[in-house]
Amino acid sequence: MTAIQTIFKAVGAATALSIWLAMPAVAQDQITIKFSHVVAPDTPKGKGAEKFKELAEQYTDGQVKVEIYPNSQLYKDKEELEALQLGAVQMLAPSLAKFGPLGVPEFELFDLPMLFKDRNDLVKITEGEVGRQLMSNLDAKGVTGLAYWDNGFKIMTGNFPVNMPDDFLGRKMRIQSSKILEAQFEALGAVPQVMAFSEVYQALQTGVVDGTENTPSNTYTQRVNEVQKFANVSNHGYIGYAVIVNKAFWDGLPEDVRAELDKAMAEATTYANDIAQEENEAALQAMRDAGTTEFHDMTEDERAAWFKVLRPVHDKMADRIGKDLLQQAYAALGIE
């Protein structure tokens, strides 16, 4: 009986086939990694993927070939995680908000409002025990977590002043589909409106919604500042990604090859995160210079007032995220 037949007999044909498809072609000269993502190549995520490809191929002397498939060329958001588990692709970088359907809602910790003050706070989680624990929770799903990549911190914008929680009472605020974001704006007394990103500019321009939230780079590239009179550099929320691979594929790689890929990923992560920070800073400055929007920089006292109003969102979501995990995050961030 061959090794393949033994696997099929032991774990069943369907499961064995998915494992076999995910395993690297170690007997061949070249190992192919299909890296699929849903954004454009010129975004921080897209540039990070290209940097990983460059370094992975360089450090393995061409033994590994990385094929990048941006803009949902292979799979859309809702399809890509299943494709990874089945071994149809080897690597993804989905939003941290997308792990609930995979059965790991703990990653929604990153969606909680007012959890991080800045990137120094963020790395206490992503590079600390909480971040490692979250990644390890993926193992049981046939997935290995490799790195956290940034998109950036969000700002608030509106056709009304957006400086304090009371400013939002009764206002219609656009959100992406998210239970936490819905609870966030309800806590502010606003009316959350789920809407596709591509529809936001026109909706703001025509008054269908009164305001929105996003990273500075997304706000600027979508020209949202042209149709919003006010903005608050609140850093009230975070958008990021996790770079993940099929576990059977990753575990099946030769140890020396995996070590070189780990090195390439570490360097690509620094590169991608630096670009995200640079692009957000540049976008923020460009919007200030344009003069179409009045910007407010949140003070520490104002932040405390925001946190008081929005902390009940943390409590509401604690069971979903995990009360112990939330307390670990609080301890790491010095939140009482």
Side-chain angles (χ1 to χ4, degrees), residues 127-145:
E127 298 180 11
E129 180 57 33
V130 173
R132 287 189 289 272
Q133 180 179 328
L134 285 169
M135 288 298 201
S136 70
N137 290 351
L138 296 171
D139 290 348
K141 307 300 179 181
V143 175
T144 295

Side-chain angles (χ1 to χ4, degrees), residues 41-305:
D42 61 351
T43 59
K45 186 200 292 190
K47 292 176 182 178
E50 291 294 341
K51 176 59 70 173
F52 173 72
K53 169 183 170 65
E54 173 194 333
L55 295 175
E57 294 177 353
Q58 174 187 334
Y59 292 158
T60 63
D61 294 324
Q63 185 178 357
V64 171
K65 178 185 179 183
V66 181
E67 298 177 354
I68 308 292
Y69 296 91
N71 285 323
S72 302
Q73 287 178 5
L74 291 183
Y75 302 101
K76 297 179 181 178
D77 265 334
K78 294 181 180 179
E79 304 168 340
E80 62 177 11
L81 284 168
E82 183 180 0
L84 183 80
Q85 288 178 296
L86 292 173
V89 293
Q90 288 73 46
M91 187 173 289
L92 304 173
S95 167
L96 295 167
K98 304 295 184 184
F99 285 92
L102 188 64
V104 196
E106 302 95 300
F107 278 88
E108 292 174 16
L109 171 78
F110 290 98
D111 291 339
L112 291 176
M114 309 305 291
L115 184 64
F116 309 110
K117 291 182 180 179
D118 51 30
R119 196 165 194 286
N120 289 332
D121 266 1
L122 176 67
V123 297
K124 292 176 184 177
I125 299 301
T126 58
E127 298 180 11
E129 180 57 33
V130 173
R132 287 189 289 272
Q133 180 179 328
L134 285 169
M135 288 298 201
S136 70
N137 290 351
L138 296 171
D139 290 348
K141 307 300 179 181
V143 175
T144 295
L146 298 181
Y148 293 98
W149 285 7
D150 291 346
N151 185 329
F153 290 95
K154 293 184 284 188
I155 63 175
M156 286 285 191
T157 66
N159 59 17
F160 59 96
V162 288
N163 300 344
M164 297 300 291
D166 289 347
D167 294 332
F168 291 83
L169 185 62
R171 301 292 186 172
K172 294 174 292 183
M173 299 296 293
R174 179 267 170 179
I175 62 168
Q176 61 176 322
S177 182
S178 164
K179 292 295 184 184
I180 290 181
L181 296 183
E182 185 177 324
Q184 167 188 289
F185 280 112
E186 287 175 347
L188 292 171
V191 181
Q193 303 281 312
V194 176
M195 182 178 296
F197 188 44
S198 59
E199 300 172 6
V200 173
Y201 180 90
Q202 186 175 5
L204 292 169
Q205 186 180 44
T206 58
V208 172
V209 291
D210 301 310
T212 187
E213 59 169 14
N214 220 311
T215 61
S217 60
N218 286 345
T219 302
Y220 182 59
T221 56
Q222 294 297 310
R223 300 183 296 124
V224 167
N225 62 300
E226 296 178 5
V227 289
Q228 296 277 263
K229 295 180 180 179
F230 301 94
N232 186 353
V233 186
S234 50
N235 289 350
H236 66 278
Y238 172 73
I239 302 177
Y241 314 105
V243 184
I244 57 178
V245 293
N246 179 284
K247 189 177 189 307
F249 170 83
W250 195 250
D251 291 349
L253 289 170
E255 189 173 337
D256 60 332
V257 171
R258 193 165 58 243
E260 295 300 333
L261 294 179
D262 278 333
K263 178 183 176 184
M265 180 55 65
E267 293 182 24
T269 297
T270 299
Y271 176 83
N273 290 347
D274 286 347
I275 285 179
Q277 184 170 350
E278 290 167 7
E279 292 192 359
N280 278 305
E281 289 174 354
L284 189 58
Q285 189 59 53
M287 289 189 290
R288 291 184 193 271
D289 293 342
T292 56
T293 306
E294 180 181 324
F295 278 84
H296 173 78
D297 295 291
M298 184 179 284
T299 67
E300 285 298 317
D301 286 344
E302 288 169 349
R303 182 176 178 83

